[in-house]
Amino acid sequence: QVGSEVWTGELVTALVEQLSMYSSESREKSFCVVVTGQVLTKVTNKQLVMDTLSSLFLVTLERRQGEEACAQAFGLCASTHLGLVLAKLEILLNNQASKRSTIFFGLLRDKNSEENQAKVLSLVLQCVGQAAVSAQPEELGEGSVAMVGKFLSPCLSDCKD
């Protein structure tokens, strides 16, 4: 049963559900995130992979730590699902970009929103980096074009000296 798709899907679902049982700072939660990324390498259901990656990303944002574990999980998953990982990261980045901070007559800024945008961008870039490290060499050629074009170039063009 261990090798079956149904069992593996149920294991991933159980791991994601278990994340809420750990305290935000716990090493166990970070370990569970990484293990979930490893188990995703055995999953063939694309929707389950995408949904699970969303859950891992959101859990990391909520806990305000564990970015390395999240990036590792995305990297592990990218070793077999690079296209899905990059697609999910693009969706997450675009969702955050659509939540631009509001400026009231150029006077008031939403600092919390700006900090959240920076955190999302930082986490997305860490995940992209780990995906590049872990991807299969034959997939990395195509994936690197997307990584540079969709993630790195926009960030570099927004950089200030």
Side-chain angles (χ1 to χ4, degrees), residues 1 27 31 49 52 75 103 111 113 131 136 155:
Q1 270 208 4
R27 291 182 5 207
F31 177 76
V49 171
T52 303
I103 300 174
K111 294 283 187 194
S113 176
Q136 299 297 320
C155 292

Side-chain angles (χ1 to χ4, degrees), residues 93-104 108-118 120-121 154-155 157-158:
L93 187 63
N94 290 339
N95 284 347
Q96 186 59 36
S98 68
K99 299 177 186 175
R100 292 281 180 207
S101 63
T102 55
I103 300 174
F104 184 69
L108 301 174
R109 284 198 149 137
D110 185 359
K111 294 283 187 194
N112 198 17
S113 176
E114 290 176 3
E115 288 175 10
N116 194 35
Q117 287 176 4
V120 168
L121 180 59
C155 292
S157 68
D158 289 346

Side-chain angles (χ1 to χ4, degrees), residues 35-56:
V35 167
T36 303
Q38 181 64 52
V39 175
L40 282 176
T41 63
K42 303 297 182 192
V43 173
T44 57
N45 180 335
K46 292 178 181 183
Q47 190 60 48
L48 180 59
V49 171
M50 297 287 273
D51 292 344
T52 303
L53 290 173
S54 289
S55 296
L56 296 179

